[in-house]
Amino acid sequence: MTRKKTLSRFGVSLDGDLLGRFDAYIAREGYTCRSKAIADLIRKEFVADDFAKGATVAGAVTVVYDHHKREVVNRLLDIQHDHGDIIISAQHVHLDHDNCLEIIAVKGLGAEVKLLADALKAVKGVKHATLSVTSAGR
Ligand code: NI
């Protein structure tokens, strides 16, 4: 179901220094207008708020590990099977001779997504793991 969106305008009063910093920030980030930058910042806060409140989020867990350590591979697979209900897909990339990169797309309650990411991160032999969350579409 799609809801018709209406655009609303509102005025914002900002301290000149803050506005200067904001304009420099959005220029660095590649924005060409303030409206999109402000909307993105608001959504970013909402995503963080959803995540903190345990609402549904979507995102990706990325894991880098040494595949020569076979027990790491098995452990990572076991954990993924334990959390199968929130995993949408997983992509495996052979980075180089030693390292593998796994990108795991997830959608679920913030607390469950964090639990999965923490479990993967804690596996001995995992060199680096990150969790990136975004809005589940709202
Ligand atoms: Ni590999």
Side-chain angles (χ1 to χ4, degrees), residues 28-74:
R28 276 199 312 277
E29 294 290 317
Y31 288 104
T32 52
C33 74
R34 287 173 179 157
S35 293
K36 167 89 168 104
I38 290 171
D40 282 0
L41 285 175
I42 292 172
R43 280 198 203 93
K44 192 165 106 181
E45 278 306 305
F46 283 176
V47 168
D49 188 49
D50 280 352
F51 187 70
K53 286 192 305 211
T56 299
V57 294
V61 184
T62 59
V63 182
V64 174
Y65 62 92
D66 184 342
H67 75 99
H68 294 301
K69 296 175 179 156
R70 294 293 166 184
E71 70 282 9
V72 181
V73 183
N74 286 333

mmCIF file of all heavy atoms in Angstrom, residues 28-74:
data_model
loop_
_atom_site.group_PDB
_atom_site.id
_atom_site.type_symbol
_atom_site.label_atom_id
_atom_site.label_comp_id
_atom_site.label_asym_id
_atom_site.label_seq_id
_atom_site.Cartn_x
_atom_site.Cartn_y
_atom_site.Cartn_z
ATOM 1 N N ARG A 28 30.437 18.608 1.399
ATOM 2 C CA ARG A 28 31.352 17.460 1.433
ATOM 3 C C ARG A 28 30.630 16.156 1.135
ATOM 4 O O ARG A 28 31.164 15.271 0.500
ATOM 5 C CB ARG A 28 31.995 17.326 2.826
ATOM 6 C CG ARG A 28 33.201 18.177 3.081
ATOM 7 C CD ARG A 28 34.005 17.644 4.267
ATOM 8 N NE ARG A 28 33.230 17.339 5.457
ATOM 9 C CZ ARG A 28 32.859 18.228 6.386
ATOM 10 N NH1 ARG A 28 33.203 19.499 6.243
ATOM 11 N NH2 ARG A 28 32.162 17.870 7.445
ATOM 12 N N GLU A 29 29.389 16.062 1.631
ATOM 13 C CA GLU A 29 28.626 14.824 1.459
ATOM 14 C C GLU A 29 27.979 14.736 0.076
ATOM 15 O O GLU A 29 27.367 13.721 -0.256
ATOM 16 C CB GLU A 29 27.530 14.731 2.533
ATOM 17 C CG GLU A 29 28.067 14.593 3.954
ATOM 18 C CD GLU A 29 28.712 13.230 4.204
ATOM 19 O OE1 GLU A 29 28.148 12.215 3.783
ATOM 20 O OE2 GLU A 29 29.792 13.206 4.822
ATOM 21 N N GLY A 30 28.097 15.817 -0.695
ATOM 22 C CA GLY A 30 27.604 15.786 -2.062
ATOM 23 C C GLY A 30 26.154 16.223 -2.241
ATOM 24 O O GLY A 30 25.585 16.041 -3.319
ATOM 25 N N TYR A 31 25.560 16.808 -1.222
ATOM 26 C CA TYR A 31 24.171 17.284 -1.374
ATOM 27 C C TYR A 31 24.157 18.566 -2.190
ATOM 28 O O TYR A 31 25.076 19.373 -2.106
ATOM 29 C CB TYR A 31 23.563 17.587 0.002
ATOM 30 C CG TYR A 31 23.244 16.360 0.824
ATOM 31 C CD1 TYR A 31 24.058 15.986 1.886
ATOM 32 C CD2 TYR A 31 22.122 15.592 0.539
ATOM 33 C CE1 TYR A 31 23.758 14.863 2.644
ATOM 34 C CE2 TYR A 31 21.820 14.471 1.288
ATOM 35 C CZ TYR A 31 22.639 14.115 2.345
ATOM 36 O OH TYR A 31 22.351 13.013 3.086
ATOM 37 N N THR A 32 23.107 18.723 -2.985
ATOM 38 C CA THR A 32 22.983 19.961 -3.739
ATOM 39 C C THR A 32 21.897 20.865 -3.172
ATOM 40 O O THR A 32 21.728 21.997 -3.609
ATOM 41 C CB THR A 32 22.682 19.675 -5.231
ATOM 42 O OG1 THR A 32 21.563 18.805 -5.303
ATOM 43 C CG2 THR A 32 23.880 19.032 -5.913
ATOM 44 N N CYS A 33 21.121 20.341 -2.211
ATOM 45 C CA CYS A 33 20.154 21.225 -1.544
ATOM 46 C C CYS A 33 20.025 20.834 -0.074
ATOM 47 O O CYS A 33 20.264 19.694 0.301
ATOM 48 C CB CYS A 33 18.800 21.216 -2.248
ATOM 49 S SG CYS A 33 17.845 19.744 -1.981
ATOM 50 N N ARG A 34 19.649 21.806 0.727
ATOM 51 C CA ARG A 34 19.559 21.581 2.168
ATOM 52 C C ARG A 34 18.398 20.654 2.536
ATOM 53 O O ARG A 34 18.498 19.909 3.509
ATOM 54 C CB ARG A 34 19.360 22.915 2.892
ATOM 55 C CG ARG A 34 20.602 23.782 2.933
ATOM 56 C CD ARG A 34 20.240 25.133 3.525
ATOM 57 N NE ARG A 34 21.390 26.024 3.609
ATOM 58 C CZ ARG A 34 21.279 27.345 3.667
ATOM 59 N NH1 ARG A 34 20.081 27.905 3.620
ATOM 60 N NH2 ARG A 34 22.357 28.091 3.754
ATOM 61 N N SER A 35 17.294 20.735 1.774
ATOM 62 C CA SER A 35 16.102 19.961 2.147
ATOM 63 C C SER A 35 16.389 18.473 2.235
ATOM 64 O O SER A 35 16.012 17.804 3.197
ATOM 65 C CB SER A 35 14.983 20.188 1.131
ATOM 66 O OG SER A 35 14.541 21.515 1.219
ATOM 67 N N LYS A 36 17.082 17.931 1.221
ATOM 68 C CA LYS A 36 17.379 16.498 1.203
ATOM 69 C C LYS A 36 18.316 16.142 2.352
ATOM 70 O O LYS A 36 18.158 15.094 2.991
ATOM 71 C CB LYS A 36 17.992 16.139 -0.154
ATOM 72 C CG LYS A 36 18.640 14.767 -0.246
ATOM 73 C CD LYS A 36 17.661 13.705 -0.672
ATOM 74 C CE LYS A 36 18.357 12.401 -1.039
ATOM 75 N NZ LYS A 36 18.223 11.378 -0.020
ATOM 76 N N ALA A 37 19.272 17.021 2.612
ATOM 77 C CA ALA A 37 20.230 16.765 3.692
ATOM 78 C C ALA A 37 19.524 16.741 5.044
ATOM 79 O O ALA A 37 19.773 15.861 5.873
ATOM 80 C CB ALA A 37 21.330 17.823 3.679
ATOM 81 N N ILE A 38 18.621 17.697 5.254
ATOM 82 C CA ILE A 38 17.881 17.736 6.527
ATOM 83 C C ILE A 38 16.989 16.504 6.662
ATOM 84 O O ILE A 38 16.944 15.864 7.716
ATOM 85 C CB ILE A 38 17.054 19.042 6.631
ATOM 86 C CG1 ILE A 38 17.995 20.242 6.822
ATOM 87 C CG2 ILE A 38 16.051 18.967 7.781
ATOM 88 C CD1 ILE A 38 17.322 21.599 6.721
ATOM 89 N N ALA A 39 16.298 16.123 5.573
ATOM 90 C CA ALA A 39 15.425 14.942 5.617
ATOM 91 C C ALA A 39 16.246 13.690 5.942
ATOM 92 O O ALA A 39 15.820 12.844 6.741
ATOM 93 C CB ALA A 39 14.698 14.773 4.282
ATOM 94 N N ASP A 40 17.431 13.565 5.342
ATOM 95 C CA ASP A 40 18.281 12.394 5.594
ATOM 96 C C ASP A 40 18.746 12.344 7.051
ATOM 97 O O ASP A 40 18.795 11.271 7.656
ATOM 98 C CB ASP A 40 19.498 12.383 4.663
ATOM 99 C CG ASP A 40 19.142 11.897 3.262
ATOM 100 O OD1 ASP A 40 17.955 11.584 3.027
ATOM 101 O OD2 ASP A 40 20.037 11.833 2.406
ATOM 102 N N LEU A 41 19.086 13.509 7.596
ATOM 103 C CA LEU A 41 19.522 13.548 8.999
ATOM 104 C C LEU A 41 18.374 13.155 9.936
ATOM 105 O O LEU A 41 18.579 12.431 10.908
ATOM 106 C CB LEU A 41 20.041 14.945 9.365
ATOM 107 C CG LEU A 41 21.424 15.300 8.825
ATOM 108 C CD1 LEU A 41 21.763 16.745 9.156
ATOM 109 C CD2 LEU A 41 22.491 14.374 9.384
ATOM 110 N N ILE A 42 17.184 13.625 9.618
ATOM 111 C CA ILE A 42 16.019 13.269 10.445
ATOM 112 C C ILE A 42 15.774 11.763 10.369
ATOM 113 O O ILE A 42 15.594 11.091 11.386
ATOM 114 C CB ILE A 42 14.763 14.055 9.995
ATOM 115 C CG1 ILE A 42 14.932 15.548 10.319
ATOM 116 C CG2 ILE A 42 13.508 13.505 10.669
ATOM 117 C CD1 ILE A 42 13.843 16.440 9.740
ATOM 118 N N ARG A 43 15.822 11.201 9.156
ATOM 119 C CA ARG A 43 15.598 9.751 9.008
ATOM 120 C C ARG A 43 16.666 8.955 9.741
ATOM 121 O O ARG A 43 16.394 7.922 10.339
ATOM 122 C CB ARG A 43 15.595 9.349 7.529
ATOM 123 C CG ARG A 43 14.286 9.630 6.862
ATOM 124 C CD ARG A 43 14.120 8.869 5.558
ATOM 125 N NE ARG A 43 13.155 9.561 4.729
ATOM 126 C CZ ARG A 43 13.461 10.461 3.816
ATOM 127 N NH1 ARG A 43 14.733 10.760 3.589
ATOM 128 N NH2 ARG A 43 12.528 11.070 3.138
ATOM 129 N N LYS A 44 17.911 9.453 9.674
ATOM 130 C CA LYS A 44 19.012 8.764 10.365
ATOM 131 C C LYS A 44 18.737 8.686 11.865
ATOM 132 O O LYS A 44 18.930 7.646 12.492
ATOM 133 C CB LYS A 44 20.325 9.508 10.094
ATOM 134 C CG LYS A 44 21.566 8.736 10.505
ATOM 135 C CD LYS A 44 22.802 9.342 9.890
ATOM 136 C CE LYS A 44 23.590 10.097 10.920
ATOM 137 N NZ LYS A 44 24.795 10.731 10.372
ATOM 138 N N GLU A 45 18.243 9.783 12.417
ATOM 139 C CA GLU A 45 17.895 9.800 13.846
ATOM 140 C C GLU A 45 16.748 8.845 14.135
ATOM 141 O O GLU A 45 16.746 8.163 15.159
ATOM 142 C CB GLU A 45 17.517 11.222 14.288
ATOM 143 C CG GLU A 45 18.706 12.091 14.594
ATOM 144 C CD GLU A 45 19.653 11.455 15.612
ATOM 145 O OE1 GLU A 45 19.194 11.087 16.706
ATOM 146 O OE2 GLU A 45 20.840 11.309 15.307
ATOM 147 N N PHE A 46 15.770 8.789 13.229
ATOM 148 C CA PHE A 46 14.628 7.893 13.422
ATOM 149 C C PHE A 46 15.075 6.435 13.375
ATOM 150 O O PHE A 46 14.575 5.600 14.134
ATOM 151 C CB PHE A 46 13.541 8.152 12.364
ATOM 152 C CG PHE A 46 12.717 9.388 12.631
ATOM 153 C CD1 PHE A 46 11.752 9.798 11.727
ATOM 154 C CD2 PHE A 46 12.896 10.127 13.790
ATOM 155 C CE1 PHE A 46 10.982 10.930 11.968
ATOM 156 C CE2 PHE A 46 12.146 11.263 14.045
ATOM 157 C CZ PHE A 46 11.177 11.657 13.128
ATOM 158 N N VAL A 47 16.001 6.121 12.459
ATOM 159 C CA VAL A 47 16.516 4.750 12.373
ATOM 160 C C VAL A 47 17.229 4.390 13.674
ATOM 161 O O VAL A 47 17.029 3.314 14.236
ATOM 162 C CB VAL A 47 17.477 4.581 11.171
ATOM 163 C CG1 VAL A 47 18.220 3.252 11.256
ATOM 164 C CG2 VAL A 47 16.714 4.654 9.862
ATOM 165 N N ALA A 48 18.039 5.320 14.189
ATOM 166 C CA ALA A 48 18.754 5.076 15.447
ATOM 167 C C ALA A 48 17.751 4.893 16.586
ATOM 168 O O ALA A 48 17.928 4.036 17.451
ATOM 169 C CB ALA A 48 19.696 6.239 15.741
ATOM 170 N N ASP A 49 16.684 5.684 16.546
ATOM 171 C CA ASP A 49 15.651 5.601 17.579
ATOM 172 C C ASP A 49 14.900 4.265 17.486
ATOM 173 O O ASP A 49 14.670 3.602 18.496
ATOM 174 C CB ASP A 49 14.686 6.780 17.412
ATOM 175 C CG ASP A 49 13.691 6.873 18.559
ATOM 176 O OD1 ASP A 49 14.135 6.823 19.720
ATOM 177 O OD2 ASP A 49 12.477 6.960 18.304
ATOM 178 N N ASP A 50 14.536 3.860 16.255
ATOM 179 C CA ASP A 50 13.881 2.556 16.041
ATOM 180 C C ASP A 50 14.761 1.436 16.583
ATOM 181 O O ASP A 50 14.290 0.526 17.243
ATOM 182 C CB ASP A 50 13.659 2.295 14.541
ATOM 183 C CG ASP A 50 12.438 3.021 14.011
ATOM 184 O OD1 ASP A 50 11.691 3.594 14.825
ATOM 185 O OD2 ASP A 50 12.236 3.009 12.786
ATOM 186 N N PHE A 51 16.050 1.522 16.252
ATOM 187 C CA PHE A 51 16.999 0.485 16.652
ATOM 188 C C PHE A 51 17.080 0.427 18.182
ATOM 189 O O PHE A 51 17.017 -0.646 18.774
ATOM 190 C CB PHE A 51 18.370 0.783 16.044
ATOM 191 C CG PHE A 51 19.361 -0.320 16.262
ATOM 192 C CD1 PHE A 51 19.222 -1.534 15.610
ATOM 193 C CD2 PHE A 51 20.428 -0.153 17.112
ATOM 194 C CE1 PHE A 51 20.130 -2.566 15.803
ATOM 195 C CE2 PHE A 51 21.348 -1.170 17.321
ATOM 196 C CZ PHE A 51 21.197 -2.381 16.662
ATOM 197 N N ALA A 52 17.169 1.602 18.799
ATOM 198 C CA ALA A 52 17.265 1.663 20.266
ATOM 199 C C ALA A 52 15.996 1.117 20.921
ATOM 200 O O ALA A 52 16.054 0.500 21.978
ATOM 201 C CB ALA A 52 17.524 3.099 20.709
ATOM 202 N N LYS A 53 14.848 1.351 20.285
ATOM 203 C CA LYS A 53 13.580 0.904 20.869
ATOM 204 C C LYS A 53 13.260 -0.543 20.523
ATOM 205 O O LYS A 53 12.261 -1.090 20.965
ATOM 206 C CB LYS A 53 12.427 1.797 20.370
ATOM 207 C CG LYS A 53 12.440 3.164 21.020
ATOM 208 C CD LYS A 53 11.158 3.941 20.748
ATOM 209 C CE LYS A 53 10.869 4.058 19.270
ATOM 210 N NZ LYS A 53 10.159 5.273 18.903
ATOM 211 N N GLY A 54 14.115 -1.149 19.669
ATOM 212 C CA GLY A 54 13.894 -2.544 19.307
ATOM 213 C C GLY A 54 12.879 -2.729 18.205
ATOM 214 O O GLY A 54 12.398 -3.833 17.991
ATOM 215 N N ALA A 55 12.540 -1.661 17.475
ATOM 216 C CA ALA A 55 11.595 -1.779 16.363
ATOM 217 C C ALA A 55 12.266 -2.507 15.186
ATOM 218 O O ALA A 55 13.456 -2.787 15.230
ATOM 219 C CB ALA A 55 11.124 -0.393 15.936
ATOM 220 N N THR A 56 11.504 -2.788 14.147
ATOM 221 C CA THR A 56 12.040 -3.513 12.997
ATOM 222 C C THR A 56 13.008 -2.646 12.195
ATOM 223 O O THR A 56 12.690 -1.502 11.871
ATOM 224 C CB THR A 56 10.889 -3.994 12.089
ATOM 225 O OG1 THR A 56 10.070 -4.880 12.840
ATOM 226 C CG2 THR A 56 11.422 -4.735 10.867
ATOM 227 N N VAL A 57 14.155 -3.190 11.919
ATOM 228 C CA VAL A 57 15.148 -2.513 11.087
ATOM 229 C C VAL A 57 15.624 -3.477 10.008
ATOM 230 O O VAL A 57 15.443 -4.682 10.121
ATOM 231 C CB VAL A 57 16.379 -2.034 11.906
ATOM 232 C CG1 VAL A 57 16.000 -0.944 12.901
ATOM 233 C CG2 VAL A 57 17.060 -3.184 12.613
ATOM 234 N N ALA A 58 16.236 -2.918 8.973
ATOM 235 C CA ALA A 58 16.871 -3.736 7.947
ATOM 236 C C ALA A 58 18.333 -3.328 7.932
ATOM 237 O O ALA A 58 18.692 -2.246 8.398
ATOM 238 C CB ALA A 58 16.238 -3.489 6.592
ATOM 239 N N GLY A 59 19.193 -4.177 7.432
ATOM 240 C CA GLY A 59 20.599 -3.812 7.411
ATOM 241 C C GLY A 59 21.490 -4.918 6.915
ATOM 242 O O GLY A 59 21.024 -5.882 6.291
ATOM 243 N N ALA A 60 22.773 -4.760 7.190
ATOM 244 C CA ALA A 60 23.755 -5.739 6.743
ATOM 245 C C ALA A 60 24.825 -5.926 7.810
ATOM 246 O O ALA A 60 25.252 -4.973 8.454
ATOM 247 C CB ALA A 60 24.413 -5.269 5.445
ATOM 248 N N VAL A 61 25.186 -7.176 7.983
ATOM 249 C CA VAL A 61 26.323 -7.492 8.838
ATOM 250 C C VAL A 61 27.443 -7.909 7.881
ATOM 251 O O VAL A 61 27.225 -8.752 7.007
ATOM 252 C CB VAL A 61 26.025 -8.663 9.795
ATOM 253 C CG1 VAL A 61 27.196 -8.891 10.745
ATOM 254 C CG2 VAL A 61 24.751 -8.413 10.578
ATOM 255 N N THR A 62 28.606 -7.298 7.999
ATOM 256 C CA THR A 62 29.747 -7.726 7.180
ATOM 257 C C THR A 62 30.792 -8.342 8.102
ATOM 258 O O THR A 62 31.055 -7.824 9.184
ATOM 259 C CB THR A 62 30.380 -6.560 6.402
ATOM 260 O OG1 THR A 62 30.810 -5.571 7.328
ATOM 261 C CG2 THR A 62 29.400 -5.934 5.444
ATOM 262 N N VAL A 63 31.338 -9.442 7.657
ATOM 263 C CA VAL A 63 32.296 -10.184 8.475
ATOM 264 C C VAL A 63 33.507 -10.532 7.598
ATOM 265 O O VAL A 63 33.349 -10.992 6.468
ATOM 266 C CB VAL A 63 31.661 -11.496 8.997
ATOM 267 C CG1 VAL A 63 32.636 -12.243 9.889
ATOM 268 C CG2 VAL A 63 30.366 -11.218 9.735
ATOM 269 N N VAL A 64 34.700 -10.277 8.110
ATOM 270 C CA VAL A 64 35.924 -10.681 7.418
ATOM 271 C C VAL A 64 36.640 -11.704 8.289
ATOM 272 O O VAL A 64 36.808 -11.485 9.488
ATOM 273 C CB VAL A 64 36.852 -9.478 7.144
ATOM 274 C CG1 VAL A 64 38.185 -9.950 6.551
ATOM 275 C CG2 VAL A 64 36.194 -8.489 6.209
ATOM 276 N N TYR A 65 37.024 -12.824 7.674
ATOM 277 C CA TYR A 65 37.692 -13.863 8.460
ATOM 278 C C TYR A 65 38.665 -14.660 7.610
ATOM 279 O O TYR A 65 38.605 -14.634 6.379
ATOM 280 C CB TYR A 65 36.649 -14.775 9.111
ATOM 281 C CG TYR A 65 35.785 -15.525 8.130
ATOM 282 C CD1 TYR A 65 36.136 -16.806 7.695
ATOM 283 C CD2 TYR A 65 34.625 -14.951 7.627
ATOM 284 C CE1 TYR A 65 35.339 -17.494 6.796
ATOM 285 C CE2 TYR A 65 33.830 -15.631 6.724
ATOM 286 C CZ TYR A 65 34.192 -16.909 6.309
ATOM 287 O OH TYR A 65 33.413 -17.577 5.413
ATOM 288 N N ASP A 66 39.541 -15.366 8.288
ATOM 289 C CA ASP A 66 40.538 -16.212 7.632
ATOM 290 C C ASP A 66 39.934 -17.596 7.415
ATOM 291 O O ASP A 66 39.646 -18.297 8.374
ATOM 292 C CB ASP A 66 41.777 -16.295 8.535
ATOM 293 C CG ASP A 66 42.909 -17.081 7.897
ATOM 294 O OD1 ASP A 66 42.649 -17.846 6.940
ATOM 295 O OD2 ASP A 66 44.051 -16.917 8.358
ATOM 296 N N HIS A 67 39.724 -17.968 6.172
ATOM 297 C CA HIS A 67 39.017 -19.226 5.907
ATOM 298 C C HIS A 67 39.891 -20.464 6.133
ATOM 299 O O HIS A 67 39.397 -21.589 6.115
ATOM 300 C CB HIS A 67 38.442 -19.240 4.490
ATOM 301 C CG HIS A 67 39.461 -19.467 3.436
ATOM 302 N ND1 HIS A 67 39.672 -20.704 2.868
ATOM 303 C CD2 HIS A 67 40.344 -18.615 2.864
ATOM 304 C CE1 HIS A 67 40.638 -20.587 1.967
ATOM 305 N NE2 HIS A 67 41.058 -19.336 1.953
ATOM 306 N N HIS A 68 41.185 -20.255 6.372
ATOM 307 C CA HIS A 68 42.035 -21.414 6.668
ATOM 308 C C HIS A 68 41.668 -22.018 8.015
ATOM 309 O O HIS A 68 41.925 -23.183 8.273
ATOM 310 C CB HIS A 68 43.523 -21.018 6.671
ATOM 311 C CG HIS A 68 43.998 -20.596 5.317
ATOM 312 N ND1 HIS A 68 43.942 -21.418 4.213
ATOM 313 C CD2 HIS A 68 44.530 -19.426 4.878
ATOM 314 C CE1 HIS A 68 44.419 -20.770 3.160
ATOM 315 N NE2 HIS A 68 44.773 -19.556 3.534
ATOM 316 N N LYS A 69 41.078 -21.160 8.869
ATOM 317 C CA LYS A 69 40.643 -21.660 10.175
ATOM 318 C C LYS A 69 39.245 -22.246 10.013
ATOM 319 O O LYS A 69 38.244 -21.540 10.085
ATOM 320 C CB LYS A 69 40.648 -20.521 11.206
ATOM 321 C CG LYS A 69 42.056 -19.988 11.437
ATOM 322 C CD LYS A 69 42.054 -18.787 12.359
ATOM 323 C CE LYS A 69 43.489 -18.300 12.576
ATOM 324 N NZ LYS A 69 43.560 -16.890 12.948
ATOM 325 N N ARG A 70 39.205 -23.545 9.771
ATOM 326 C CA ARG A 70 37.948 -24.194 9.398
ATOM 327 C C ARG A 70 36.857 -24.068 10.455
ATOM 328 O O ARG A 70 35.677 -24.013 10.138
ATOM 329 C CB ARG A 70 38.201 -25.683 9.092
ATOM 330 C CG ARG A 70 39.052 -25.896 7.869
ATOM 331 C CD ARG A 70 38.305 -25.460 6.610
ATOM 332 N NE ARG A 70 39.249 -25.358 5.496
ATOM 333 C CZ ARG A 70 38.933 -24.933 4.292
ATOM 334 N NH1 ARG A 70 37.704 -24.539 4.055
ATOM 335 N NH2 ARG A 70 39.835 -24.874 3.346
ATOM 336 N N GLU A 71 37.264 -24.061 11.704
ATOM 337 C CA GLU A 71 36.243 -23.994 12.758
ATOM 338 C C GLU A 71 35.507 -22.653 12.721
ATOM 339 O O GLU A 71 34.359 -22.563 13.146
ATOM 340 C CB GLU A 71 36.857 -24.271 14.148
ATOM 341 C CG GLU A 71 37.773 -23.201 14.707
ATOM 342 C CD GLU A 71 39.188 -23.200 14.110
ATOM 343 O OE1 GLU A 71 39.447 -23.930 13.114
ATOM 344 O OE2 GLU A 71 40.024 -22.456 14.623
ATOM 345 N N VAL A 72 36.163 -21.607 12.197
ATOM 346 C CA VAL A 72 35.509 -20.298 12.068
ATOM 347 C C VAL A 72 34.340 -20.399 11.092
ATOM 348 O O VAL A 72 33.233 -19.936 11.376
ATOM 349 C CB VAL A 72 36.496 -19.217 11.553
ATOM 350 C CG1 VAL A 72 35.804 -17.869 11.448
ATOM 351 C CG2 VAL A 72 37.699 -19.120 12.439
ATOM 352 N N VAL A 73 34.582 -21.018 9.959
ATOM 353 C CA VAL A 73 33.557 -21.155 8.925
ATOM 354 C C VAL A 73 32.345 -21.897 9.489
ATOM 355 O O VAL A 73 31.196 -21.455 9.334
ATOM 356 C CB VAL A 73 34.116 -21.925 7.701
ATOM 357 C CG1 VAL A 73 33.067 -22.003 6.596
ATOM 358 C CG2 VAL A 73 35.391 -21.264 7.195
ATOM 359 N N ASN A 74 32.603 -23.017 10.170
ATOM 360 C CA ASN A 74 31.506 -23.806 10.742
ATOM 361 C C ASN A 74 30.723 -23.022 11.782
ATOM 362 O O ASN A 74 29.496 -23.054 11.808
ATOM 363 C CB ASN A 74 32.052 -25.089 11.386
ATOM 364 C CG ASN A 74 32.461 -26.095 10.331
ATOM 365 O OD1 ASN A 74 31.923 -26.085 9.223
ATOM 366 N ND2 ASN A 74 33.440 -26.941 10.655
#
